[in-house]
Amino acid sequence: MAVSEINNLIDKLNLQVKSFQEGFEVLSHSKNLADIAHSFSHILRGNLLTINVNIFFKDNNEKEWRNLYLHNKEAFKYLEEFNTNNALDINFLDDPVFKVAITLPMIDKSCFGLLIGQKIDKKEFSNFDRVSIQIFLQLLDNAYQAYLNNKKEKELIFSLNNRVLQLNSLIDTGIELSALIKTESLLELALERAVVLTNASAGCISVTENR
């Protein structure tokens, strides 16, 4: 690539910086994988000038690909274009339907697979398009990591809240036990608290007399 072409490419990328930032902002607010795929497909379509974007995902190398965003059902016939070792791979195809097959592994051993069709103007993907694709893939990787962190944070908050509820229930139980005298009342309260703490639908207590 000539120096003038490199400089021209850099100038175009500088103009796209805001678009890249806005793209990450949108992706990082996705609530689930389907939202990530839907938003990312719009980013690719708008910047690469193609409508045929298809996004697949699998949790690990032992799982099957499942579609998150599908534009063309023919994409299922091209799953073999994805790297079987879940290694990063950007493959430009000589095919009338799909022009790019991408395998993008994630930090948790999961993997995205993308199939991108021909551009609207029928032109080949330029050097600028190829560099843009790599940058957008980095955005997708960063957004997925943000999604995982948010998910872990929500799970942690839920777990802590559940522990607090259990602790409060135990404290209430201790207070009520101290005010009770009758054995029947003690057993009823113990059973009631046990059902609540274990999230059971029902419970019973069996009392036997030692002889």
Side-chain angles (χ1 to χ4, degrees):
M1 189 184 300
V3 175
S4 59
E5 289 182 276
I6 295 176
N7 290 334
N8 184 43
L9 180 59
I10 292 175
D11 289 339
K12 287 184 177 180
L13 290 173
N14 285 332
L15 293 174
Q16 286 287 88
V17 168
K18 185 176 181 180
S19 176
F20 296 146
Q21 293 173 337
E22 292 174 348
F24 176 73
E25 187 70 20
V26 172
L27 289 173
S28 62
H29 286 86
S30 299
K31 296 180 179 179
N32 51 52
L33 289 176
D35 282 346
I36 292 176
H38 186 267
S39 297
F40 192 63
S41 69
H42 281 290
I43 291 173
L44 292 183
R45 292 167 65 181
N47 286 273
L48 300 179
L49 301 180
T50 177
I51 60 173
N52 191 3
V53 175
N54 305 269
I55 302 177
F56 295 84
F57 180 85
K58 61 179 178 179
D59 298 299
N60 55 61
N61 205 29
E62 304 300 323
K63 301 291 185 178
E64 297 293 328
W65 290 103
R66 69 177 191 271
N67 67 292
L68 296 178
Y69 183 87
L70 189 68
H71 175 80
N72 189 339
K73 293 182 179 179
E74 291 292 310
F76 284 104
K77 299 179 181 179
Y78 289 77
L79 297 181
E80 61 184 18
E81 297 293 343
F82 296 144
N83 191 301
T84 55
N85 296 321
N86 282 13
L88 175 61
D89 185 44
I90 305 175
N91 187 17
F92 289 88
L93 309 174
D94 183 16
D95 185 89
V97 180
F98 294 103
K99 297 299 182 182
V100 190
I102 300 170
T103 308
L104 181 64
M106 296 287 106
I107 191 172
D108 63 347
K109 306 301 182 183
S110 62
C111 193
F112 281 92
L114 295 87
L115 287 167
I116 304 173
Q118 192 174 47
K119 299 182 67 171
I120 296 175
D121 58 10
K122 309 298 183 183
K123 293 182 179 180
E124 295 296 322
F125 285 95
S126 64
N127 289 327
F128 175 72
D129 292 328
R130 293 170 184 247
V131 174
S132 295
I133 287 174
Q134 295 184 51
I135 295 175
F136 285 126
L137 291 179
Q138 186 62 52
L139 290 182
L140 177 58
D141 183 276
N142 292 340
Y144 182 73
Q145 291 187 46
Y147 161 75
L148 289 180
N149 291 335
N150 290 335
K151 184 177 179 181
K152 290 178 181 178
E153 182 180 349
K154 290 179 180 179
E155 291 174 350
L156 178 60
I157 292 174
F158 176 81
S159 177
L160 289 174
N161 288 337
N162 191 46
R163 294 294 178 86
V164 170
L165 288 174
Q166 291 181 351
L167 179 60
N168 288 337
S169 181
L170 287 173
I171 293 173
D172 292 341
T173 301
I175 295 173
E176 292 185 35
L177 283 174
S178 64
L180 293 175
I181 299 177
K182 293 182 179 180
T183 303
E184 293 81 0
S185 298
L186 288 172
L187 293 176
E188 289 176 1
L189 179 60
L191 178 59
E192 178 185 330
R193 296 302 184 185
V195 169
V196 171
L197 290 173
T198 58
N199 291 322
S201 59
C204 68
I205 293 179
S206 177
V207 180
T208 58
E209 183 179 354
N210 292 328
R211 295 181 181 177

